[in-house]
Amino acid sequence: MRVPLSWLREYVDLPAGETGRDVAAKLVDAGLEVETVEQLGGGLTGPLVVGQVLTIEELEGFRKPIRFCTVDVGRANGTGEPQEIVCGARNFSVGDKVVVVLPGAVLPGDFAIASRKTYGKTSHGMICSGEELGMGDDGTHGIIVLPPEHEVGTDAIELLQLVDEVLDIDITPDRGYCMSLRGVAREAATAYGLPLRDPALLDVPAPNSYGYLVKVEDPAGCDRFTARTVTGLDPEARSPIWLTRRLQKAGMRPISLAVDVTNYVMLELGQPLHAYDRSRLDGAIGVRRAEQGEEFTTLDGVKRILDAEDLVITDSSGPIGLAGVMGGANTEIADSVTDPETGQVTGTTDVVIEAAHFDSVSISRTARRLKLSSEASKRFERGVDPLAAAAAAQRTVDLLVLLAGGTAEAGVTELIAPGAPRTIAMSANHPDRVAGMEYGRETVVRRLQEIGCDVYGQDELVVTVPSWRPDLAEPNDLAEEVIRLEGYGNLPSTLPQVPSGRGLTARQQLHRRVGRALAGAGYVEVLSYPFLGEGVFDQLQLSAHDATRQVVRLVNPISDEEPALRTTLLPGLLGALRRNDSRGSHDLALFETGSVFRAGNQPGVAVRLPVDRRPTDEEIATLDAALPAQPRYAAVVLAGAREQAGWWGKGRPADWADAVQAARSLAVEAGAELVVRQGQYGPWHPGRCAELLVTLDGVETVIGHAGELHPRVVKAMGLPARTSAMELDLDRLAAAGGEPVRAPRISTFPVATQDVALIVDTTVAATAVEAALRAGAGELLESLRLFDVFTGEQVGEGKKSLAYALRFRAADRTLTAEESTAARDAAVALAGERTGAVLRGA
């Protein structure tokens, strides 16, 4: 919501010296989110005046039309002589009043104006458009043509209200009343302790039986409908400058007088309105639910297919408006048209004004389903004051009569569904208990009265909520109002008391160790949204029957493009890697730990739990059973250089081995024995994919994969070449760990190192050889490391040489050469038995 400070001052007598930033600070203290304070006209200096075009000479011989004009600017140029100006625009004629900037002036953007020779003429200034003056879009994209009543030489800076401050406020869903100048003014008046001039306090005639006929078939969807009629409007009437400028400052484009007036009143009072051309209405206006599949063309010219839940405004011909969202093209206010032969001007002269109150949930669903968010729907979704409808209709009638010479018909239609004000019972000290400090009854009552509540009672208060605050529904809401108005900064800072003997669970401790281990290895943690679009599974080359494709879909997703809960961490991680790579960070190592969501074969339906008592154990169990499985995963992605080049060496790129090593480091933190084998799965390159396994209940179980991504996946997702990734099930890894990780015992005795080079078939996995060596070496083996792989003529075709470094150590003595050699020979023997390995050179 954009709020011009000059407009806000009409309703609150703010101190004369208060700047936009001062007002913003006050509103922020009151709980509003002021994002920016825009300085309109910053750096603008005159002379900028009203001029009248005297002559226009068309200059020939140029690629685009150029006009040489003389403009009367009065005495603003110091001589009184016509000002000669070259201009390329063509939307003005001789006799038109325009805005002229003279030499010596500076326009927004530090654009200095001086006399200069161009197109063979000397131009002494410039005829201005709205965009050049920073006024925003007026719909013409051309020169500003002023009404003829403005006097030549008048200061245009003041006339066009070019200097102002605009507060851009982010309105949260619970503050719908602040999507109007009335609502923001109320907050400003409360923040400054000043009275409010409520623009909704108007004399409104009582409803009668001879207003425009309206029939509401669904009072639950429309509980209030006001209709007023204005006749005899001048079709040539245009919105005055003050009205168009306020709309532009508020971020809206002027269209026509009738539409501008309804938009202006909506911004002022927060009540969306609609004006129908009465000549295009066929019979009574009605409000009903749409028929399933009913078609309707909205003002933007798009044909919409309606749902049975949609509220529509109708006449005898069918739908004429999508209630609370957008009007129909068939009753649109007609633009004025001049007959070239007779000079007669035709257009809309009679209008019917609609000011209604619609159900917020219904409007939200319609706007969301049709992807049709409008200024009206934004307000109805957040809640509109139902009692403002009559005042808004009256304000619109008054402005149309004043600005377009119309006549307000005496008929007033107002249909109201039965209802009563909402009341909330609350203890007077309830805000004290919520805030942890003492306000006292007088402060609580005063603050509630300032927001428009009626308060009765002493220790137990009965609070009648104002009609413009649908968000106030329970005592905690009222307590929040007292606390925010008293100032969040005044709340005491108290640390929670942690009961002794409690700490992190084993699962939480593992998650922290995993994060520290990966961060220590040079990975950067990222947090991704837990949503995805199912098209990403095709990009990841997953088979049609892959379990990862079984997703939990949300009924109300934040984004229609990502309607499902994630079943893998890779899409979010790879998206973060792609974004960072596109912004110049090419050497990347990212990790994430988080829950994924696995849909069961028969997804349950969650029960609605009671709020007036604690749910029973059975109810909680039923709710838990309906939830999807949510295992915690860990994943890493790498691209670019893993080790930077420098004086210390050449560096090296990240590759599949780094992804595998990340998995090994997590296994160490979990105290689990991780088995790494060659594998093949979805997004990974079939020749550079490792399968990660652990033993659970005596059975080897695949818990993840690591390696280099498939080139097709890299291309489909726009990733850097040779991107590597690892993902595993952290919960299963923890389950395989068993006992808590214990610190290794460091022996004081020396180590005995033995190296062996074994020749095996190229089809034999190095992990199989390693497992055999470990089993054969026995308890004396401290560590084993593969340090070389060699293929060539020396080892024979179809063979490879694997060189391992074996470290032996005893905890209670120094090993003899015979003991370490015997352990080595036993390891080699078992490797030969299991894998066919033979010592190289034997």
Side-chain angles (χ1 to χ4, degrees):
M1 177 70 188
R2 290 172 57 84
V3 179
L5 189 59
S6 60
W7 195 354
L8 184 64
R9 289 182 182 276
E10 283 199 3
Y11 313 120
V12 185
D13 290 326
L14 299 173
E18 288 292 278
T19 66
R21 295 191 179 278
D22 296 332
V23 176
K26 286 281 190 179
L27 293 178
V28 169
D29 288 341
L32 293 182
E33 298 181 15
V34 182
E35 293 190 335
T36 60
V37 179
E38 184 179 350
Q39 303 288 332
L40 299 184
L44 173 64
T45 59
L48 186 73
V49 298
V50 176
Q52 184 172 23
V53 180
L54 301 178
T55 65
I56 298 177
E57 176 187 351
E58 301 288 347
L59 302 182
E60 305 292 340
F62 300 102
R63 292 184 178 179
K64 61 179 181 179
I66 298 297
R67 312 167 94 186
F68 180 65
C69 311
T70 60
V71 185
D72 180 12
V73 294
R75 301 292 302 177
N77 58 4
T79 65
E81 296 295 324
Q83 198 80 0
E84 297 178 338
I85 299 175
V86 175
C87 183
R90 309 191 66 76
N91 69 312
F92 64 94
S93 307
V94 172
D96 283 344
K97 298 288 181 66
V98 294
V99 178
V100 179
V101 57
L102 301 177
V106 179
L107 296 184
D110 199 25
F111 181 31
I113 303 300
S115 297
R116 65 188 184 94
K117 191 169 183 179
T118 179
Y119 297 103
K121 301 286 187 178
T122 300
S123 181
H124 301 281
M126 187 169 70
I127 302 175
C128 297
S129 68
E131 293 179 349
E132 290 165 338
L133 297 178
M135 294 172 58
D137 181 18
D138 61 359
T140 65
H141 300 289
I143 293 303
I144 301 171
V145 178
L146 300 171
E149 63 267 19
H150 296 292
E151 185 177 348
V152 168
T154 302
D155 182 7
I157 295 178
E158 182 177 353
L159 175 67
L160 299 178
Q161 304 172 21
L162 297 179
V163 179
D164 202 351
E165 293 180 278
V166 178
L167 282 65
D168 192 349
I169 305 176
D170 183 15
I171 306 299
T172 53
D174 62 328
R175 295 292 180 85
Y177 67 97
C178 284
M179 293 196 73
S180 66
L181 267 296
R182 180 195 185 200
V184 176
R186 186 181 302 279
E187 291 296 314
T190 303
Y192 280 94
L194 297 171
L196 169 71
R197 288 188 291 274
D198 190 345
L201 295 180
L202 301 175
D203 291 329
V204 179
N208 49 55
S209 59
Y210 42 94
Y212 200 92
L213 184 60
V214 176
K215 299 178 181 178
V216 177
E217 298 179 14
D218 190 340
C222 176
D223 59 4
R224 186 177 294 261
F225 196 108
T226 301
R228 300 288 300 275
T229 304
V230 181
T231 60
L233 298 178
D234 180 4
E236 291 187 282
R238 296 290 179 268
S239 300
I241 291 175
W242 65 266
L243 177 58
T244 60
R245 287 298 294 133
R246 285 190 170 179
L247 291 177
Q248 288 174 326
K249 292 176 185 179
M252 302 189 74
R253 180 172 64 86
I255 298 174
S256 64
L257 178 58
V259 176
D260 292 349
V261 167
T262 57
N263 286 337
Y264 178 85
V265 175
M266 177 184 68
L267 291 172
E268 184 178 52
L269 300 182
Q271 168 67 53
L273 303 109
H274 191 72
Y276 301 96
D277 187 331
R278 192 170 74 166
S279 65
R280 298 186 177 187
L281 289 175
D282 183 8
I285 293 176
V287 182
R288 62 170 171 82
R289 296 287 174 175
E291 298 176 4
Q292 186 66 39
E294 191 170 12
E295 294 184 352
F296 171 61
T297 303
T298 46
L299 279 173
D300 55 4
V302 177
K303 182 177 289 187
R304 313 280 179 179
I305 306 299
L306 303 183
D307 186 85
E309 286 192 356
D310 297 334
L311 271 175
V312 291
I313 312 297
T314 65
D315 64 6
S316 299
S317 65
I320 59 173
L322 200 53
V325 181
M326 186 175 287
N330 51 349
T331 57
E332 182 179 7
I333 300 296
D335 294 332
S336 61
V337 178
T338 303
D339 190 312
E341 296 182 359
T342 64
Q344 184 178 0
V345 179
T346 58
T348 299
T349 58
D350 301 340
V351 298
V352 176
I353 300 159
E354 165 211 313
H357 184 261
F358 301 109
D359 175 57
S360 60
V361 174
S362 176
I363 301 306
S364 177
R365 287 176 176 171
T366 296
R368 188 180 188 88
R369 184 180 61 80
L370 296 176
K371 297 180 176 64
L372 187 62
S373 179
S374 64
E375 292 294 332
S377 68
K378 291 176 184 176
R379 287 165 171 79
F380 279 121
E381 289 171 5
R382 289 165 171 80
V384 170
D385 181 5
L387 301 186
Q394 182 62 46
R395 178 72 165 137
T396 305
V397 168
D398 293 342
L399 287 173
L400 288 176
V401 170
L402 174 67
L403 302 177
T407 301
E409 288 194 352
V412 177
T413 302
E414 189 169 22
L415 303 182
I416 304 174
R422 286 178 295 112
T423 59
I424 302 173
M426 180 185 73
S427 299
N429 64 348
H430 181 69
D432 300 2
R433 298 200 305 269
V434 173
M437 62 181 297
E438 185 176 349
Y439 292 119
R441 179 188 178 280
E442 291 185 1
T443 299
V444 170
V445 172
R446 174 171 56 84
R447 289 303 190 183
L448 292 178
Q449 289 174 339
E450 286 177 350
I451 65 172
C453 295
D454 292 329
V455 185
Y456 304 95
Q458 293 299 318
D459 294 338
E460 293 294 326
L461 304 179
V462 177
V463 182
T464 302
V465 176
S467 58
W468 58 84
R469 292 300 302 271
D471 58 301
L472 302 181
E474 59 178 46
N476 284 338
D477 298 329
L478 300 178
E480 180 185 0
E481 293 298 299
V482 174
I483 294 169
R484 76 175 180 87
L485 293 178
E486 283 295 304
Y488 291 120
N490 296 325
L491 291 175
S493 298
T494 56
L495 294 175
Q497 298 294 323
V498 181
S500 60
R502 297 186 181 181
L504 299 178
T505 65
R507 188 170 187 257
Q508 292 169 332
Q509 291 174 349
L510 173 61
H511 296 163
R512 291 200 177 185
R513 291 200 306 273
V514 164
R516 285 195 292 265
L518 291 175
Y523 291 87
V524 176
E525 184 174 15
V526 301
L527 296 175
S528 304
Y529 284 114
F531 313 112
L532 53 75
E534 294 177 60
V536 75
F537 297 135
D538 295 329
Q539 294 179 328
L540 292 175
Q541 304 283 312
L542 296 180
S543 67
H545 304 291
D546 195 292
T548 305
R549 287 182 177 268
Q550 298 179 11
V551 297
V552 178
R553 294 178 182 83
L554 300 176
V555 175
N556 56 340
I558 294 177
S559 170
D560 292 335
E561 296 179 357
E562 296 181 330
L565 291 172
R566 67 187 178 191
T567 53
T568 168
L569 300 180
L570 290 182
L573 264 178
L574 294 174
L577 183 135
R578 179 178 60 248
R579 284 191 299 273
N580 283 275
D581 180 73
S582 67
R583 295 170 184 173
S585 298
H586 303 303
D587 304 325
L588 296 163
L590 310 177
F591 84 92
E592 181 174 12
T593 62
S595 297
V596 299
F597 304 85
R598 298 290 189 180
N601 294 329
Q602 294 181 345
V605 177
V607 297
R608 187 183 295 275
L609 297 179
V611 296
D612 57 343
R613 60 175 174 80
R614 183 189 182 279
T616 65
D617 294 340
E618 292 76 12
E619 289 172 333
I620 295 176
T622 302
L623 181 63
D624 287 341
L627 297 176
Q630 301 175 44
R632 193 170 186 89
Y633 274 36
V636 304
V637 293
L638 306 98
R642 184 65 175 141
E643 296 178 2
Q644 296 290 338
W647 58 265
W648 52 86
K650 296 181 179 179
R652 67 173 183 86
D655 60 16
W656 61 268
D658 294 301
V660 174
Q661 181 57 35
R664 293 185 187 277
S665 65
L666 299 191
V668 170
E669 295 298 329
E673 183 176 348
L674 186 71
V675 178
V676 180
R677 294 182 185 152
Q678 184 174 357
Q680 184 172 342
Y681 178 69
W684 280 276
H685 192 297
R688 298 169 189 157
C689 175
E691 194 174 61
L692 310 176
L693 305 96
V694 294
T695 300
L696 291 173
D697 298 328
V699 179
E700 283 193 343
T701 304
V702 177
I703 64 167
H705 295 83
E708 183 180 314
L709 295 181
H710 198 290
R712 285 199 293 266
V713 174
V714 170
K715 182 179 180 181
M717 302 191 74
L719 303 172
R722 310 300 293 271
T723 297
S724 297
M726 180 278 294
E727 183 177 38
L728 57 76
D729 187 330
L730 202 54
D731 287 346
R732 288 189 176 185
L733 182 68
E739 294 295 325
V741 178
R742 297 184 180 275
R745 181 178 178 182
I746 307 300
S747 174
T748 58
F749 294 94
V751 66
T753 302
Q754 297 273 3
D755 292 347
V756 295
L758 303 176
I759 298 177
V760 296
D761 293 339
T762 54
T763 58
V764 176
T767 54
V769 178
E770 178 180 331
L773 289 174
R774 286 185 182 277
E779 296 180 354
L780 294 178
L781 181 66
E782 182 180 83
S783 67
L784 182 151
R785 180 174 61 88
L786 175 68
F787 66 86
D788 185 52
V789 179
F790 175 75
T791 58
E793 296 179 358
Q794 294 91 330
V795 297
E797 185 177 354
K799 300 290 184 178
K800 62 182 176 182
S801 172
L802 304 177
Y804 291 91
L806 291 79
R807 291 167 56 92
F808 298 97
R809 194 192 317 249
D812 57 350
R813 68 187 187 283
T814 300
L815 292 177
T816 65
E818 290 77 10
E819 287 179 305
S820 62
T821 300
R824 182 202 65 182
D825 292 343
V828 172
L830 187 58
E833 179 182 335
R834 290 185 178 181
T835 66
V838 297
L839 277 172
R840 185 176 176 181

